[in-house]
Amino acid sequence: QVQLAESGGGLVQAGGSLRLSCAASGRIFIINAMGWYRQAPGKQRELVATITSGGSTTYADSVKGRFTVSRDNAKNTLALQMNSLTPEDTAVYYCNFVVISRPGYYGVDYWGKGTQVTVSS
Protein backbone atom coordinates (compact mmCIF):
# COMPACT_ATOMS: atom_id res chain seq x y z
CA GLN A 1 0.00 0.00 0.00
CA VAL A 2 1.55 3.22 -1.27
CA GLN A 3 0.18 6.76 -1.35
CA LEU A 4 1.48 9.69 -3.40
CA ALA A 5 0.89 13.32 -2.46
CA GLU A 6 1.55 16.25 -4.82
CA SER A 7 2.12 19.81 -3.68
CA GLY A 8 3.22 23.16 -5.11
CA GLY A 9 0.47 23.86 -7.62
CA GLY A 10 -1.24 27.22 -7.83
CA LEU A 11 -1.85 30.36 -9.86
CA VAL A 12 1.05 32.15 -11.53
CA GLN A 13 1.46 34.86 -14.16
CA ALA A 14 2.89 34.02 -17.58
CA GLY A 15 6.67 34.02 -17.46
CA GLY A 16 6.73 32.97 -13.82
CA SER A 17 7.88 29.78 -12.13
CA LEU A 18 6.48 27.02 -9.94
CA ARG A 19 8.03 23.98 -8.29
CA LEU A 20 5.93 20.84 -7.89
CA SER A 21 6.77 18.09 -5.42
CA CYS A 22 5.50 14.55 -4.91
CA ALA A 23 6.17 12.42 -1.83
CA ALA A 24 5.53 8.71 -1.44
CA SER A 25 4.58 6.93 1.77
CA GLY A 26 3.76 3.35 2.66
CA ARG A 27 5.42 0.03 1.98
CA ILE A 28 8.36 0.84 -0.28
CA PHE A 29 11.48 -1.15 -1.00
CA ILE A 30 12.64 0.82 -4.03
CA ILE A 31 11.14 3.21 -6.58
CA ASN A 32 12.14 2.65 -10.18
CA ALA A 33 10.76 5.09 -12.76
CA MET A 34 9.16 8.38 -11.70
CA GLY A 35 7.22 10.75 -13.93
CA TRP A 36 4.95 13.75 -14.27
CA TYR A 37 1.83 13.82 -16.46
CA ARG A 38 -0.71 16.56 -17.10
CA GLN A 39 -4.25 16.84 -18.41
CA ALA A 40 -6.05 19.96 -19.61
CA PRO A 41 -9.84 20.18 -20.10
CA GLY A 42 -10.92 18.44 -23.29
CA LYS A 43 -7.50 16.90 -23.86
CA GLN A 44 -5.93 13.52 -23.17
CA ARG A 45 -3.42 13.05 -20.39
CA GLU A 46 0.11 13.56 -21.71
CA LEU A 47 3.57 12.77 -20.46
CA VAL A 48 5.55 15.79 -19.26
CA ALA A 49 8.81 14.33 -17.92
CA THR A 50 10.26 11.06 -16.64
CA ILE A 51 13.33 10.11 -14.65
CA THR A 52 14.78 6.64 -14.10
CA SER A 53 16.41 5.27 -10.97
CA GLY A 54 19.76 6.03 -12.60
CA GLY A 55 18.86 9.66 -13.23
CA SER A 56 18.19 9.54 -16.98
CA THR A 57 15.47 12.01 -18.01
CA THR A 58 13.06 12.53 -20.88
CA TYR A 59 10.83 15.54 -21.64
CA ALA A 60 7.93 16.39 -23.85
CA ASP A 61 8.99 18.66 -26.71
CA SER A 62 6.70 21.40 -25.43
CA VAL A 63 8.57 21.73 -22.11
CA LYS A 64 12.19 21.08 -23.10
CA GLY A 65 14.47 23.85 -21.90
CA ARG A 66 11.86 25.18 -19.45
CA PHE A 67 11.11 22.28 -17.07
CA THR A 68 13.56 20.21 -15.02
CA VAL A 69 12.66 16.93 -13.29
CA SER A 70 14.65 15.57 -10.34
CA ARG A 71 14.36 12.92 -7.64
CA ASP A 72 15.69 12.25 -4.15
CA ASN A 73 15.94 8.51 -3.66
CA ALA A 74 16.74 8.81 0.06
CA LYS A 75 13.50 10.73 0.70
CA ASN A 76 11.28 9.03 -1.93
CA THR A 77 10.39 12.36 -3.47
CA LEU A 78 10.03 13.73 -7.00
CA ALA A 79 10.17 17.36 -8.11
CA LEU A 80 9.40 19.38 -11.23
CA GLN A 81 10.86 22.86 -11.60
CA MET A 82 8.77 24.81 -14.12
CA ASN A 83 10.14 28.07 -15.54
CA SER A 84 8.93 30.48 -18.23
CA LEU A 85 5.37 29.25 -17.80
CA THR A 86 2.74 30.00 -20.44
CA PRO A 87 -1.07 29.69 -20.43
CA GLU A 88 -0.67 26.49 -22.47
CA ASP A 89 0.90 24.88 -19.39
CA THR A 90 -2.41 25.18 -17.50
CA ALA A 91 -3.51 21.68 -16.47
CA VAL A 92 -3.85 19.23 -13.61
CA TYR A 93 -0.45 17.68 -12.99
CA TYR A 94 -0.13 14.09 -11.74
CA CYS A 95 2.91 12.24 -10.42
CA ASN A 96 3.47 8.57 -11.17
CA PHE A 97 5.84 6.15 -9.43
CA VAL A 98 6.71 2.55 -10.26
CA VAL A 99 7.13 0.99 -6.81
CA ILE A 100 8.64 -2.33 -5.73
CA SER A 101 7.18 -3.03 -2.29
CA ARG A 102 9.32 -6.04 -1.33
CA PRO A 103 12.48 -7.72 -2.65
CA GLY A 104 11.67 -9.94 -5.61
CA TYR A 105 8.32 -8.24 -6.38
CA TYR A 106 7.55 -6.59 -9.70
CA GLY A 107 6.95 -2.87 -9.93
CA VAL A 108 3.41 -1.47 -9.62
CA ASP A 109 2.16 1.90 -10.89
CA TYR A 110 0.87 4.43 -8.36
CA TRP A 111 -0.69 7.82 -9.10
CA GLY A 112 -1.21 10.97 -7.10
CA LYS A 113 -4.60 12.69 -7.07
CA GLY A 114 -3.26 15.69 -9.00
CA THR A 115 -2.47 19.34 -8.37
CA GLN A 116 -3.86 22.28 -10.37
CA VAL A 117 -1.49 24.62 -12.20
CA THR A 118 -3.05 27.75 -13.71
CA VAL A 119 -1.03 30.26 -15.74
CA SER A 120 -2.65 33.63 -16.49
CA SER A 121 -1.81 35.98 -19.36
Side-chain angles (χ1 to χ4, degrees):
Q1 283 64 24
V2 175
Q3 297 81 41
L4 306 184
E6 300 102 333
S7 63
L11 177 64
V12 66
Q13 190 175 4
S17 298
L18 284 174
R19 184 176 178 86
L20 305 183
S21 297
C22 182
S25 61
R27 185 179 299 174
I28 299 171
F29 173 62
I30 194 170
I31 301 175
N32 287 338
M34 295 179 170
W36 289 99
Y37 295 75
R38 67 185 182 186
Q39 187 168 20
K43 298 181 180 179
Q44 294 186 340
R45 184 175 297 186
E46 65 173 347
L47 183 109
V48 177
T50 63
I51 183 167
T52 69
S53 60
S56 298
T57 59
T58 61
Y59 296 92
D61 289 341
S62 60
V63 307
K64 287 181 179 178
R66 300 188 297 119
F67 291 10
T68 302
V69 64
S70 61
R71 62 188 286 172
D72 187 332
N73 292 326
K75 298 180 179 179
N76 292 331
T77 58
L78 174 72
L80 183 69
Q81 180 66 45
M82 305 186 294
N83 298 325
S84 302
L85 286 163
T86 74
E88 288 69 39
D89 295 315
T90 296
V92 177
Y93 285 70
Y94 301 88
C95 62
N96 170 254
F97 291 1
V98 178
V99 178
I100 298 174
S101 60
R102 296 181 182 273
Y105 282 29
Y106 290 104
V108 176
D109 282 344
Y110 289 90
W111 292 87
K113 67 179 182 179
T115 185
Q116 177 70 48
V117 172
T118 303
V119 184
S120 62
S121 300

XYZ file of all heavy atoms in Angstrom, residues 1-4 22 24 27-28 30-35 37 45 47 50-51 95-101 105-112:
276
model
N 0.838 -1.176 0.000
C 0.000 0.000 0.000
C 0.887 1.246 0.000
O 1.660 1.458 0.938
C -0.920 0.016 1.214
C -2.117 -0.925 1.096
C -1.744 -2.405 1.004
O -0.677 -2.835 1.454
N -2.621 -3.185 0.406
N 0.751 2.027 -1.070
C 1.551 3.220 -1.273
C 0.630 4.379 -1.600
O -0.347 4.226 -2.343
C 2.570 3.018 -2.406
C 3.319 4.315 -2.690
C 3.552 1.915 -2.044
N 0.923 5.538 -1.054
C 0.184 6.757 -1.349
C 1.144 7.823 -1.854
O 2.250 7.965 -1.330
C -0.559 7.274 -0.112
C -1.632 6.342 0.431
C -1.043 5.240 1.294
O -0.135 5.473 2.090
N -1.561 4.027 1.141
N 0.714 8.589 -2.864
C 1.485 9.692 -3.401
C 0.744 10.992 -3.119
O -0.474 11.044 -3.240
C 1.696 9.541 -4.900
C 2.306 8.232 -5.403
C 2.523 8.297 -6.913
C 3.616 7.943 -4.702
N 6.312 15.737 -5.141
C 5.504 14.549 -4.909
C 6.245 13.652 -3.936
O 7.411 13.314 -4.175
C 5.230 13.811 -6.220
S 4.185 12.349 -6.044
N 6.128 10.023 -1.586
C 5.526 8.705 -1.442
C 5.626 8.219 -0.004
O 6.630 8.454 0.674
C 6.207 7.702 -2.368
N 4.479 1.145 2.078
C 5.418 0.032 1.984
C 6.235 0.163 0.704
O 5.745 -0.111 -0.402
C 4.664 -1.299 2.015
C 5.566 -2.510 2.046
C 4.748 -3.783 2.088
N 3.917 -3.852 3.287
C 3.018 -4.802 3.502
N 2.825 -5.751 2.609
N 2.304 -4.781 4.616
N 7.488 0.581 0.848
C 8.362 0.837 -0.285
C 9.714 0.189 -0.047
O 10.345 0.436 0.978
C 8.548 2.348 -0.514
C 7.214 3.019 -0.818
C 9.542 2.580 -1.649
C 7.286 4.526 -0.837
N 11.913 -0.037 -3.110
C 12.638 0.816 -4.027
C 11.662 1.377 -5.047
O 10.654 0.751 -5.375
C 13.779 0.048 -4.734
C 14.742 1.008 -5.418
C 13.208 -0.968 -5.712
C 16.009 0.341 -5.925
N 11.934 2.585 -5.533
C 11.140 3.207 -6.578
C 11.964 3.247 -7.852
O 13.063 3.805 -7.864
C 10.707 4.629 -6.186
C 9.888 4.599 -4.893
C 9.905 5.271 -7.318
C 9.520 5.969 -4.371
N 11.452 2.637 -8.898
C 12.143 2.653 -10.179
C 11.837 3.956 -10.915
O 12.292 5.012 -10.516
C 11.776 1.426 -11.003
C 12.424 0.160 -10.465
O 13.427 0.211 -9.764
N 11.856 -0.989 -10.796
N 11.049 3.898 -11.972
C 10.763 5.089 -12.755
C 9.824 6.035 -12.007
O 8.934 5.604 -11.269
C 10.156 4.708 -14.096
N 10.034 7.333 -12.196
C 9.157 8.377 -11.698
C 8.797 9.292 -12.866
O 9.607 9.479 -13.773
C 9.825 9.216 -10.615
C 10.165 8.478 -9.336
S 10.981 9.610 -8.167
C 11.003 8.616 -6.674
N 7.607 9.870 -12.835
C 7.221 10.747 -13.926
C 6.134 11.722 -13.555
O 5.425 11.550 -12.561
N 2.791 13.753 -15.373
C 1.835 13.819 -16.463
C 0.910 15.002 -16.215
O 0.789 15.480 -15.090
C 1.018 12.534 -16.553
C 1.829 11.303 -16.906
C 2.658 10.702 -15.971
C 1.755 10.739 -18.179
C 3.404 9.582 -16.289
C 2.493 9.613 -18.502
C 3.315 9.041 -17.552
O 4.047 7.927 -17.880
N -4.569 12.933 -21.268
C -3.418 13.052 -20.389
C -2.142 12.825 -21.192
O -2.061 11.901 -22.006
C -3.518 12.046 -19.246
C -2.411 12.170 -18.217
C -2.630 11.224 -17.044
N -3.853 11.529 -16.324
C -4.230 10.935 -15.193
N -3.457 9.989 -14.665
N -5.363 11.267 -14.607
N 2.340 12.856 -21.226
C 3.572 12.769 -20.461
C 4.309 14.100 -20.507
O 4.445 14.710 -21.570
C 4.468 11.661 -21.017
C 5.757 11.449 -20.236
C 5.703 10.145 -19.476
C 6.949 11.441 -21.173
N 9.985 12.288 -17.383
C 10.255 11.064 -16.639
C 11.705 11.059 -16.185
O 12.560 11.727 -16.770
C 10.001 9.796 -17.474
O 10.889 9.771 -18.593
C 8.558 9.745 -17.951
N 11.970 10.266 -15.139
C 13.334 10.107 -14.648
C 13.480 8.692 -14.117
O 12.647 8.202 -13.357
C 13.675 11.169 -13.576
C 15.130 11.035 -13.122
C 12.705 11.103 -12.399
C 15.613 12.234 -12.309
N 1.660 12.989 -10.524
C 2.908 12.244 -10.420
C 2.619 10.750 -10.492
O 1.539 10.283 -10.118
C 3.676 12.589 -9.146
S 2.859 12.221 -7.591
N 3.586 10.017 -10.989
C 3.470 8.571 -11.173
C 4.775 7.914 -10.752
O 5.846 8.309 -11.213
C 3.148 8.259 -12.637
C 3.246 6.777 -12.958
O 4.196 6.343 -13.613
N 2.285 6.004 -12.504
N 4.678 6.913 -9.865
C 5.835 6.147 -9.430
C 5.627 4.680 -9.763
O 4.510 4.162 -9.640
C 6.042 6.233 -7.906
C 6.468 7.563 -7.365
C 6.648 8.665 -8.178
C 6.700 7.717 -6.001
C 7.032 9.891 -7.668
C 7.089 8.932 -5.475
C 7.252 10.020 -6.304
N 6.691 4.004 -10.157
C 6.707 2.548 -10.264
C 7.407 2.032 -9.018
O 8.613 2.246 -8.844
C 7.412 2.079 -11.537
C 7.445 0.556 -11.586
C 6.718 2.638 -12.770
N 6.656 1.342 -8.140
C 7.131 0.988 -6.807
C 7.282 -0.522 -6.666
O 6.377 -1.283 -7.009
C 6.166 1.511 -5.726
C 6.649 1.083 -4.337
C 6.044 3.021 -5.806
N 8.425 -0.945 -6.149
C 8.640 -2.325 -5.731
C 8.490 -2.353 -4.216
O 9.271 -1.722 -3.501
C 10.022 -2.834 -6.160
C 10.143 -2.812 -7.682
C 10.268 -4.239 -5.611
C 11.518 -3.160 -8.193
N 7.490 -3.066 -3.712
C 7.178 -3.034 -2.290
C 8.054 -3.965 -1.454
O 8.307 -3.679 -0.279
C 5.706 -3.379 -2.057
O 5.411 -4.675 -2.544
N 9.607 -8.603 -5.808
C 8.316 -8.243 -6.383
C 8.516 -7.401 -7.635
O 9.526 -6.701 -7.786
C 7.474 -7.453 -5.382
C 6.802 -8.271 -4.310
C 7.352 -9.458 -3.855
C 5.607 -7.837 -3.744
C 6.740 -10.201 -2.872
C 4.987 -8.571 -2.754
C 5.558 -9.749 -2.324
O 4.943 -10.484 -1.330
N 7.537 -7.449 -8.538
C 7.549 -6.591 -9.701
C 7.017 -5.207 -9.352
O 6.288 -5.025 -8.375
C 6.704 -7.198 -10.837
C 7.315 -8.429 -11.447
C 6.813 -9.692 -11.154
C 8.389 -8.331 -12.322
C 7.373 -10.823 -11.711
C 8.952 -9.459 -12.883
C 8.447 -10.702 -12.578
O 9.009 -11.829 -13.140
N 7.389 -4.228 -10.163
C 6.947 -2.873 -9.934
C 5.469 -2.690 -10.233
O 4.915 -3.325 -11.128
N 4.822 -1.805 -9.472
C 3.410 -1.475 -9.620
C 3.263 0.033 -9.755
O 3.906 0.790 -9.030
C 2.589 -1.983 -8.414
C 1.135 -1.556 -8.530
C 2.695 -3.495 -8.292
N 2.410 0.471 -10.681
C 2.162 1.896 -10.891
C 1.286 2.479 -9.791
O 0.262 1.900 -9.416
C 1.469 2.135 -12.233
C 2.410 2.071 -13.418
O 3.634 2.136 -13.213
O 1.910 1.958 -14.554
N 1.675 3.659 -9.290
C 0.873 4.426 -8.356
C 0.759 5.854 -8.866
O 1.713 6.399 -9.431
C 1.477 4.416 -6.952
C 1.371 3.089 -6.254
C 2.372 2.142 -6.370
C 0.255 2.770 -5.488
C 2.275 0.912 -5.750
C 0.148 1.545 -4.857
C 1.160 0.618 -4.989
O 1.051 -0.600 -4.364
N -0.412 6.456 -8.633
C -0.695 7.816 -9.101
C -1.116 8.712 -7.957
O -1.829 8.290 -7.041
C -1.826 7.810 -10.139
C -1.466 7.156 -11.428
C -1.566 5.833 -11.735
C -0.956 7.795 -12.598
N -1.154 5.612 -13.029
C -0.770 6.799 -13.576
C -0.643 9.122 -12.910
C -0.282 7.080 -14.852
C -0.156 9.409 -14.168
C 0.015 8.396 -15.118
N -0.690 9.970 -8.003
C -1.212 10.967 -7.102
C -2.578 11.445 -7.565
O -3.025 11.129 -8.671
